[in-house]
Amino acid sequence: MALSRDEVSNRVSNVLEEALGVDQDEITPQATLINDLGAESIDFLDISFQLEKAFEADCSPDTPFKIEQGELFPENLLNDAELVENGRITDEGMALLKEKMPHVDFSEFESDRSVGKIPELFTVKTLVDFCERKLAVCAA
Amino acid sequence: MRWMWIDAVTEYEPDKRLVAVKNVSLAEEHLHDHFPATETHAALPLMPNSLIIEGMAQTAGILVGSVNRFREKVVLAKITRATIDADVVPGKTIRYDAHLDRIDEAGAATAGTVEMLDHATGAWSRIGAVDLVFSHIDNNMAGLEFPEHNFVFSDNFRTILRSAGMDSLCD
């Protein structure tokens, strides 16, 4: 049976509480992982591992809940000169970000495209959306 | 050997678990500074908790490194959780029991328990838990470049691997 949105949110909150050492009341849907909850780059690896563990029983071994490197966060994309120009994401970069990260809402970001604002894109809601998408695929 | 905080590997289950021990000796210089006598207190030599965590990091690091035959540069990236509930004094033996939780191209997560042997009674007791995250730094997120040779699994580590019969795992 498909997990409810609340159940997915609860599991994501538990993972964030454990991985980032934050209190449950700080974990609101709009809280940004980096600016509000203090996540650093290595935390994304920890969060990925813990999410895989939290949802592995909901997927079959044939279609596991596996998060590939760079799937959750852009990582090396930002070091590519063709994708970033004068501190802003190029058209090519935007297209790639949207393709790689369909779980992220870029609508507000797109008018500015400043690399410095990328951390604001990754909220608790983004993470819940990401997990729901993956669960839909692995359960399909 | 400097900065080796395990003495020997005692158990190894490939890709799953590795156990190492450390005998805490009063001859170790750092114990004389942790804590020295003062005008009001006698000396209190205790194994620092930070070095107990480092011992687990070395134990779990060998386990993680062994999965890819020590080709990856495995670096401690995060202490997810660490609790040490007892003082470890000279004459005790520490046992690190590390389990591989997850591993992929970016890194690995391990879960470990710390036990202490009281030689007077012959009993092991669980004194803590240390969970860690390691990065395979050549695949790090920042895209930084590091020296080609594996500076993590140096000669000191190789000596421990050799004495544990694990040197055949190294390419």
Side-chain angles (χ1 to χ4, degrees):
Chain A
M1 197 175 73
L3 293 176
S4 68
R5 174 90 181 173
D6 281 350
E7 178 58 26
V8 175
S9 296
N10 283 341
R11 292 195 200 174
V12 168
S13 289
N14 290 339
V15 164
L16 292 175
E17 186 181 12
E18 179 79 13
L20 303 178
V22 291
D23 294 332
Q24 283 283 350
D25 58 8
E26 295 176 74
I27 307 171
T28 61
Q30 300 313 320
T32 60
L33 301 184
I34 296 171
N35 294 346
D36 294 333
L37 302 183
E40 296 179 17
S41 60
I42 195 63
D43 290 318
F44 283 88
L45 179 60
D46 188 17
I47 289 168
S48 295
F49 283 148
Q50 294 202 35
L51 288 175
E52 286 176 2
K53 211 165 157 180
F55 293 109
E56 68 183 350
D58 300 290
C59 297
S60 77
D62 296 335
T63 52
F65 193 95
K66 177 82 188 89
I67 302 171
E68 302 298 335
Q69 189 175 13
E71 192 180 344
L72 194 56
F73 194 72
E75 302 183 10
N76 291 345
L77 293 183
L78 302 181
N79 298 325
D80 189 328
E82 289 187 13
L83 306 181
V84 180
E85 202 175 273
N86 299 324
R88 292 182 195 282
I89 305 290
T90 61
D91 288 344
E92 195 182 346
M94 276 311 304
L96 197 60
L97 281 175
K98 285 179 183 174
E99 180 197 327
K100 297 267 185 192
M101 277 162 281
H103 51 283
V104 175
D105 178 4
F106 289 102
S107 53
E108 280 188 32
F109 175 80
E110 203 157 7
S111 59
D112 182 278
R113 296 192 184 187
S114 167
V115 170
K117 290 196 171 175
I118 283 186
E120 295 172 16
L121 291 170
F122 297 92
T123 62
V124 174
K125 177 182 176 300
T126 308
L127 209 50
V128 175
D129 290 344
F130 172 80
C131 292
E132 278 200 320
R133 278 174 172 270
K134 280 198 87 71
L135 286 165
V137 171
C138 87
Chain B
M1 253 177 247
R2 298 189 72 178
W3 209 253
M4 288 307 299
W5 298 104
I6 54 177
D7 293 333
V9 173
T10 57
E11 292 177 64
Y12 173 57
E13 295 174 42
D15 302 347
K16 285 185 185 165
R17 175 174 175 252
L18 189 131
V19 181
V21 293
K22 161 156 182 71
N23 296 302
V24 179
S25 164
L26 196 52
E28 294 174 58
E29 280 192 22
H30 66 98
L31 293 183
H32 296 209
D33 297 323
H34 192 270
F35 296 94
T38 65
E39 286 182 6
T40 55
H41 295 88
L44 180 61
L46 293 177
M47 180 72 181
N49 287 346
S50 54
L51 294 181
I52 293 177
I53 294 169
E54 173 63 21
M56 178 61 82
Q58 294 184 357
T59 305
I62 290 174
L63 174 61
V64 173
S66 70
V67 173
N68 292 304
R69 300 182 64 83
F70 301 99
R71 284 188 291 261
E72 295 283 359
K73 301 180 186 90
V74 176
V75 170
L76 176 63
K78 178 176 176 180
I79 301 166
T80 310
R81 177 177 68 133
T83 54
I84 309 291
D85 299 324
D87 289 339
V88 179
V89 297
K92 304 287 194 215
T93 297
I94 303 172
R95 183 161 64 190
Y96 299 108
D97 193 340
H99 292 249
L100 187 64
D101 199 4
R102 311 303 273 199
I103 187 164
D104 66 15
E105 60 181 10
T110 62
T113 55
V114 184
E115 296 165 299
M116 182 170 69
L117 173 62
D118 183 342
H119 290 276
T121 63
W124 287 98
S125 55
R126 187 182 190 278
I127 62 164
V130 181
D131 298 342
L132 304 170
V133 175
F134 293 87
S135 172
H136 290 145
I137 57 168
D138 285 333
N139 304 320
N140 68 87
M141 301 185 200
L144 301 173
E145 290 187 8
F146 292 90
E148 202 164 301
H149 74 280
N150 197 328
F151 53 84
V152 177
F153 295 108
S154 59
D155 289 344
N156 285 354
F157 273 104
R158 302 241 166 190
T159 301
I160 285 186
L161 295 175
R162 209 161 31 244
S163 62
M166 295 175 68
D167 51 337
S168 63
L169 292 175
C170 303
D171 287 336

